Amino acid sequence: MAQVPQTFFDALAVRTWCGLALTALGRAREEIDAINVFPVADGDTGTNLYLTMESAVTAVEAVFAAHEMGPGTPEKPTLADTTHAMAHGALIGAQGNSGTILAQLLRGMAQVLAADGETPHTDGSGLRLALRQAADSARQAVAHPVEGTVLSVASAAADAAEGAEGDCGTVARAAYEGARTALAETPGQLAVLDRAGVVDAGGRGLVAVLAALVETFTGETPGAVVVFGGHARVEADTAAAADSVAVEECAPSPDSPEEGGPAYEVIYLLEADDAAVARLRARLDALGDSLVVVGGDGLWNVHVHVDDAGAAVEAGVEAGRPYRIRITHFGLGDVHTTGAERPPRERAQRAVVAVVPGEGLAGLYTEAGATIVLARPGEPPASGELVEAVRRAHAREVVLLPNDADLRHTAAAAAEQARAEGIRVALIPTRSAVQGIAALAVHEPERRFDEDVVSMTSAAGATRYAEVEVAERQSWTMAGICQAGDVLGLIDGDVAVIGSDVTATAEAVLDRMLSAGGELVTLVLGDDAPDSVTTRLEARVREAYLAVDTVVYRGGRQGALLLIGVE
């Protein structure tokens, strides 16, 4: 970038550093993915670090763009402006365990660099303090810190920086050298790294970020760490060497066993106060492992590995307002879940990505093997979130279930973007989560892709859907005029019944749907619906429709009081 080298750590230096770090992580992404064996051997550490830094860069660039568009002569953003943006962008965009920790490292630095709020820049002493705060805050964010990980590398960088006297360039180079040395020692600290013959992937990513910091202040690219059978050395100070990792010699041994662990990764942003988050930490710590909670000032990023994804989300609901919930199933046969041999790094052949309206259904869909995007009431996901979910599914073929008529165009845009990236995507225009459940029930990954899509589409299309909800205002409907507070029964998107009682309205809706026949009734109960409604509907089916089965699910906070599907 044309702005390097920088003399002081100011707004422009933050922008330069973030840009260089993103470039460095982009070049090293595949190599870092390839040495990812801890805490889960899922081969995505490099990608997660890159996406987290990309979010930070986007936020910083937005600050500069806002100043350039202001009235009069553009003013350069302050150091506080840019570091706050960097930390916030990383926080809301953090991906995976490694990305969440990187977000906290950047937040720790911002806490020092933006403490004054008015200081235009800082020098070497300020950078030393920032690196120390970064390492300490990241360690505090992890429930059970493990040595031989990115935490060890960050602490070593801060220790080395504290012993350096001089300008920002001197301090940055000392931090980089300390991190590089600590990275080479990680196989001796963590048995799984030693068995695989690799250094820690997260630590390798942090070394790349610190190398970008050195380049920001000196204009020079420091040498790279290359791993050979668990030992490290430094290449020459060239850009090519800085990007290289000896993948062919540091790839994990295929017969290296890994300890078992939880089956799901759960990540969400959370709006909550400090006291609620403290309780959340204790609850999630009892549910699983790899717990990292980062953030502050009312906004947090929560990451945990658990067997009960629904319970992890419910804990967030009790603590505050979770959103951007991402639940990833590590997969059958995964080294993390079975302790068997490590799976190949290749993409899965096929996956299902689904938008679901409530936390309860999130657990149901993930148990069926789907990658989910949670759509909270009034907060439909953007196409970018759907694209990211398709990428997370890490498959050559993806079936996309929008489960909402209003999301059809958004899902179509996401599918086109994913296809441009080489992923084969089929969009099934499901208009309700109950249609998505029907599609998942007949999903068979072993079939030819076209046959599987046709079967899922047929099952979804054969499922009539209904919702029972409360009217928010007076309005004209297909069933007449409704008043605010009336209970509405919508069948296939149109109001068919207007009533005053939830149970009676739901029963009327169900009778209308079953009048045309049916074999299976699916009921998804929202948090605000009375428990008695499903009891009454099940009894109604038993009494009047002898050949029809009923299945009931808890949907959580899904917007509608009740979802009904009839197949």
Side-chain angles (χ1 to χ4, degrees), residues 355-356 373-376 378-386 402 404 407 410-411:
V355 179
V356 295
V373 177
L374 187 66
R376 303 199 62 79
E379 298 180 7
S383 61
E385 291 180 71
L386 299 186
D404 186 337
L407 284 178
T410 300

Side-chain angles (χ1 to χ4, degrees), residues 506-525:
E507 189 171 356
V509 168
L510 184 59
D511 282 338
R512 290 200 183 193
M513 297 178 75
L514 287 174
S515 65
E519 298 176 353
L520 176 66
V521 172
T522 301
L523 304 174
V524 182
L525 191 68

Side-chain angles (χ1 to χ4, degrees), residues 6-79:
Q6 302 294 322
T7 304
F8 294 102
F9 208 163
D10 59 5
L12 189 57
V14 173
R15 184 187 199 184
T16 302
W17 176 40
C18 289
L20 290 171
L22 181 64
T23 299
L25 289 173
R27 287 193 297 249
R29 174 163 53 173
E30 292 183 2
E31 288 85 351
I32 296 174
D33 283 344
I35 63 172
N36 171 204
V37 298
F38 183 85
V40 181
D42 49 359
D44 63 359
T45 291
T47 299
N48 288 338
L49 289 170
Y50 178 84
L51 293 174
T52 303
M53 183 56 71
E54 184 178 46
S55 183
V57 168
T58 299
V60 171
E61 290 301 324
V63 170
F64 275 85
H67 278 73
E68 291 169 1
M69 294 173 61
T73 304
E75 294 183 4
K76 186 171 69 173
T78 66
L79 177 61

Side-chain angles (χ1 to χ4, degrees), residues 17 169 172-174 176 209-222:
W17 176 40
R173 186 173 288 279
Y176 167 79
V209 171
L210 290 174
L213 188 64
V214 174
E215 186 176 357
T216 298
F217 294 114
T218 68
E220 301 173 359
T221 303

